[in-house]
Amino acid sequence: MTDQLHFETLAIHAGQQPDPATGAVMTPIYQTSTFVQDGVGDHKGYEYARTGNPTRTALEACLAALEGASHGLCFASGMAAIDTLLKLIKPGQHVLAADDVYGGTYRLFVRVLSDYGLQFDFVDMADLKAVAAAIKPNTRLIWVETPTNPHLKIIDLAALAEIGRAHNLQVAVDNTFASPYLQQPISLGADFVIHSTTKYIGGHSDVIGGAILTNDAAAYERLKFLQNTIGAVPGPMDCFLTLRGIKTLPLRMERHSTNAQKIAEFLADHPGVKKVMYPGLSDHPNHAVAKKQMRLFGGMISFLPVGDAATAKRIVERTKIFALAESLGGVESLIELPAPMTHASVAGSLLEVDPTLIRLSVGIENVDDLIADLQQALSGK
Ligand SMILES: *Cc1c(COP(=O)(O)O)cnc(C)c1O
């Protein structure tokens, strides 16, 4: 039935029915570790809550529907989802990753999984020729994020999936920055979508979580086995909070995007700003690709102020509504300096970030208040 429904309807209903026992409209928080069996092996689909929990099942089904996938699996964090997906790759095999990946992903690939014999290379995937040239005989997976963090580069997912198919490789897309409302990688040819549901999907900065969505039934069976075997699963309360957040995802993404567009235009015109990175600006190098594959351009903006690292530090410490904090995707606006904060773990690596770069996670407050706040922070008075 859910196939014909629109995204906004799926966000509220997919995977969820009124509770059969009580009629509760919202999926209950099944706060239990185990489930009684009527006879040995005779149960209602649940035995032990690491293996499966009904609140988690509802979230997994809802996220799968939103990404246009047949299968979903949820995890205790975005990193747990990424680590579990990478367990599909064996020692001696090679992963080609974008050069602008999330810092925690880079750290996992280079400082943990490399010790177990997995091989990684990082290329600028906005350059599709460079991607094709970097594929090796033992490459098994292409790993990409778009928009990227913190440079807001846009990578052409349909073209990347084409390269993957031509070389018989699978493509995994970390869709955290866009959310499924703005971009659906599986419909563009990707094999796996990964989320940190901590960000836009949860949307209220009150829960950590991750997910993998796929149409590949064989990979799903293996990933489900890994989910149960490794055990990095989210608790039912976390699943409930995430499901609750998802119901307003379309409304929030609309407001995040319209607010961010106005703020990006304000910053682009400001004499104290050298460069603005936002895919919704017509001078963004991949604006055309963004327009083709995204519904709107999202809530993340990066910019370089005129001045040095001390200037940038003063600006981020001077905002009053934009809170100085890591993370992103919540209803409240955040500001940060990636170099010493979110991207500190990649200092000295090829992912190193300009120390003056400022990143905004634009919230859903009134945009005039947000612009006034940035105006006073940039004016330095
Ligand atoms: C936050 C984030 C992650 C990691 O997710 P956690 O929930 O913090 O473990 C992965 N990818 C991207 C793009 C992120 O922003």
Side-chain angles (χ1 to χ4, degrees):
M1 177 198 84
T2 50
D3 281 357
Q4 313 87 288
L5 297 175
H6 293 91
F7 191 97
E8 295 84 346
T9 311
L10 293 173
I12 292 169
H13 295 290
Q16 298 156 77
Q17 300 86 35
D19 177 42
T22 63
V25 165
M26 188 61 197
T27 302
I29 303 159
Y30 286 91
Q31 191 73 52
T32 185
S33 61
T34 190
F35 300 82
V36 73
Q37 307 197 6
D38 294 331
V40 177
D42 178 10
H43 54 73
K44 298 176 176 67
Y46 296 95
E47 311 164 76
Y48 183 61
R50 167 160 38 73
T51 317
N53 174 291
T55 320
R56 193 173 96 208
T57 304
L59 176 60
E60 291 176 336
C62 184
L63 285 172
L66 295 185
E67 285 288 3
S70 48
H71 303 291
L73 292 165
C74 286
F75 295 87
S77 67
M79 291 318 302
I82 296 169
D83 185 51
T84 304
L85 187 82
L86 266 289
K87 294 282 190 301
L88 297 179
I89 309 302
K90 298 206 163 49
Q93 295 183 338
H94 175 249
V95 176
L96 191 58
D99 67 350
D100 203 9
V101 290
Y102 177 68
T105 301
Y106 182 79
R107 181 170 57 186
L108 175 71
F109 288 2
V110 171
R111 292 175 59 188
V112 179
L113 297 176
S114 293
D115 289 345
Y116 293 84
L118 277 63
Q119 298 170 18
F120 297 93
D121 275 311
F122 298 87
V123 295
D124 177 3
M125 292 200 178
D127 178 357
L128 294 163
K129 284 203 190 76
V131 176
I135 291 171
K136 299 179 177 178
N138 61 339
T139 306
R140 287 291 171 273
L141 184 71
I142 294 178
W143 180 275
V144 67
E145 290 166 29
T146 178
T148 68
N149 176 19
H151 296 111
L152 284 310
K153 286 199 276 194
I154 299 293
I155 291 151
D156 187 334
L157 290 178
L160 200 66
E162 196 58 52
I163 293 175
R165 260 195 307 281
H167 292 82
N168 207 16
L169 307 175
Q170 292 199 296
V171 175
V173 180
D174 180 335
N175 202 27
T176 301
F177 264 42
S179 90
Y181 184 66
L182 301 189
Q183 165 179 292
Q184 294 177 310
I186 288 175
S187 74
L188 298 170
D191 298 284
F192 303 102
V193 169
I194 288 85
H195 277 286
S196 168
T197 58
T198 312
K199 314 293 169 50
Y200 287 108
I201 286 180
H204 295 74
S205 308
D206 53 8
V207 59
I208 300 276
I212 303 175
L213 300 315
T214 186
N215 277 336
D216 180 336
Y220 167 73
E221 287 308 325
R222 178 67 184 167
L223 289 165
K224 190 168 167 52
F225 169 81
L226 290 166
Q227 180 196 43
N228 185 42
T229 302
I230 297 167
V233 293
M237 182 70 193
D238 291 351
C239 294
F240 171 87
L241 285 170
T242 309
L243 274 172
R244 183 191 219 265
I246 288 172
K247 291 179 191 289
T248 55
L249 179 68
L251 294 172
R252 287 187 283 107
M253 294 315 297
E254 293 275 346
R255 180 64 78 88
H256 283 299
S257 301
T258 52
N259 278 0
Q261 183 75 37
K262 285 184 190 153
I263 289 172
E265 286 166 10
F266 158 78
L267 290 171
D269 281 345
H270 196 287
V273 174
K274 212 159 38 185
K275 181 174 178 191
V276 182
M277 291 156 236
Y278 184 67
L281 293 177
S282 54
D283 65 353
H284 182 286
N286 270 330
H287 178 63
V289 177
K291 237 171 134 167
K292 184 180 70 169
Q293 72 187 20
M294 300 177 77
R295 190 197 298 251
L296 294 163
F297 304 107
M300 300 301 296
I301 302 174
S302 290
F303 69 97
L304 298 171
V306 175
D308 57 11
T311 314
K313 183 167 177 289
R314 268 200 305 280
I315 293 168
V316 302
E317 289 175 349
R318 212 184 272 136
T319 53
K320 298 189 170 87
I321 301 173
F322 281 87
L324 178 58
E326 300 193 2
S327 198
L328 60 110
V331 290
E332 61 285 297
S333 292
L334 304 179
I335 191 166
E336 68 129 357
L337 273 188
M341 293 176 65
T342 48
H343 288 63
S345 74
V346 297
S349 79
L350 87 161
L351 270 72
E352 181 153 357
V353 175
D354 184 322
T356 70
L357 186 107
I358 296 175
R359 191 186 78 177
L360 303 178
S361 173
V362 176
I364 64 171
E365 299 96 334
N366 182 291
V367 71
D368 296 334
D369 293 341
L370 296 178
I371 288 174
D373 191 30
L374 292 171
Q375 177 77 46
Q376 65 80 24
L378 284 163
S379 79
K381 292 199 189 80

